[in-house]
């Protein structure tokens, strides 16, 4: 399974296909193995406290979820937080590392519910409410129509190409084709 580059050097065009295929198989197998188990008492902790982009709400380097019934403002709240972090200003007496301006141009908003025009209107309203009516948003927005897993390679490419640091995934139902109550759809 391991390719010795010296055996195919100089690498011909035909050999490159084999090299790329073997490298791909290796990376996929390695990724699917996951991490090795560790004894928690042996893990060196970086800090004693969880680091938050938004204190007590949005943990840094972690998956975060907001839950509620439809129409209770989850999307507006997520969008307001994104705008504030994008512009480097605090919002609603919230604090945290996310408001230091370092996320400007680093936020990807994946949306299964609205359109770029609706999102843009909301961003303008939020910016106006923050006293920033002329600010230019650098949030990268994508309207999604397929389930999350089907779009994952494309989404990964966007994250890498744009050096994204925060991804907002708006609508769990849309991301799993509206099948939140079906185990297979949610687990996939």
């Amino acid at each position: 399974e391991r390719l010795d580059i010296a055996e195919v050097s100089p690498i011909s065009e035909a050999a490159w296909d084999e090299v790329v295929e073997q490298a791909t198989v290796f990376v996929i197998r390695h990724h699917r193995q996951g991490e090795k188990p560790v004894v928690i008492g042996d893990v060196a902790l970086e800090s004693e406290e969880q680091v938050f982009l938004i204190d007590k709400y949005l943990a840094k380097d972690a998956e975060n979820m907001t839950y509620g019934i439809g129409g209770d403002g989850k999307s507006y709240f997520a969008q307001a937080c994104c705008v504030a972090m994008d512009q480097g200003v605090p919002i609603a007496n919230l604090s945290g590392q996310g408001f230091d301006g370092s996320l400007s141009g680093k936020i990807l908003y994946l949306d299964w519910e609205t359109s770029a025009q609706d999102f843009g209107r909301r961003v303008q309203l939020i910016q106006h409410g923050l006293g920033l009516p002329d600010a230019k948003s650098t949030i990268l927005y994508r309207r999604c129509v397929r389930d999350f897993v089907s779009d994952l390679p494309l989404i990964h490419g966007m994250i890498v190409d744009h050096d994204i640091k925060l991804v907002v995934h708006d609508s769990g139902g849309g991301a799993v084709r509206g099948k939140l109550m079906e185990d297979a759809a949610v687990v996939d």
Side-chain angles (χ1 to χ4, degrees):
E1 288 189 12
R2 187 176 175 122
L3 178 64
D4 183 356
I5 296 295
E7 291 178 9
V8 294
S9 187
I11 298 176
S12 67
E13 188 173 328
W16 269 113
D17 290 340
E18 182 67 20
V19 169
V20 171
E21 182 177 348
Q22 287 187 26
T24 302
V25 168
F26 174 78
V27 168
I28 290 171
R29 284 183 182 162
H30 186 345
H31 175 73
R32 287 181 179 165
Q33 289 175 355
E35 296 182 11
K36 294 179 180 179
V38 297
V39 175
I40 262 321
D42 295 340
V43 175
L45 302 177
E46 293 179 16
S47 68
E48 292 187 25
E49 291 188 30
Q50 172 71 49
V51 177
F52 288 86
L53 292 174
I54 301 175
D55 285 342
K56 309 302 180 212
Y57 177 72
L58 184 62
K60 185 176 180 179
D61 298 326
E63 294 179 21
N64 297 268
M65 182 175 179
T66 301
Y67 176 80
I69 59 172
D72 68 357
K74 298 178 301 296
S75 294
Y76 272 107
F77 182 67
Q79 292 161 2
C81 289
C82 286
V83 169
M85 289 186 287
D86 178 49
Q87 298 301 317
V89 297
I91 185 172
N93 294 323
L94 297 173
S95 60
Q97 286 185 356
F99 302 116
D100 66 3
S102 64
L103 290 179
S104 181
K106 308 290 186 194
I107 301 170
L108 172 61
Y109 199 98
L110 303 173
D111 192 349
W112 279 264
E113 297 180 328
T114 62
S115 67
Q117 290 74 30
D118 290 339
F119 183 82
R121 274 192 222 82
R122 288 180 178 189
V123 165
Q124 286 179 340
L125 290 171
I126 294 164
Q127 288 175 329
H128 187 76
L130 290 172
L132 305 166
D134 299 323
K136 181 176 183 210
S137 174
T138 61
I139 298 168
L140 186 62
Y141 174 90
R142 180 165 188 270
R143 167 78 174 125
C144 300
V145 293
R146 298 185 328 158
D147 63 277
F148 182 75
V149 172
S150 297
D151 271 352
L152 200 51
L154 181 62
I155 293 166
H156 180 264
M158 285 185 265
I159 291 168
V160 171
D161 292 347
H162 297 278
D163 193 27
I164 297 297
K165 302 297 183 198
L166 175 65
V167 178
V168 176
H169 179 283
D170 192 349
S171 176
V176 294
R177 297 184 191 153
K179 301 175 185 173
L180 282 174
M181 303 312 279
E182 295 179 23
D183 291 344
V186 176
V187 172
D188 284 343

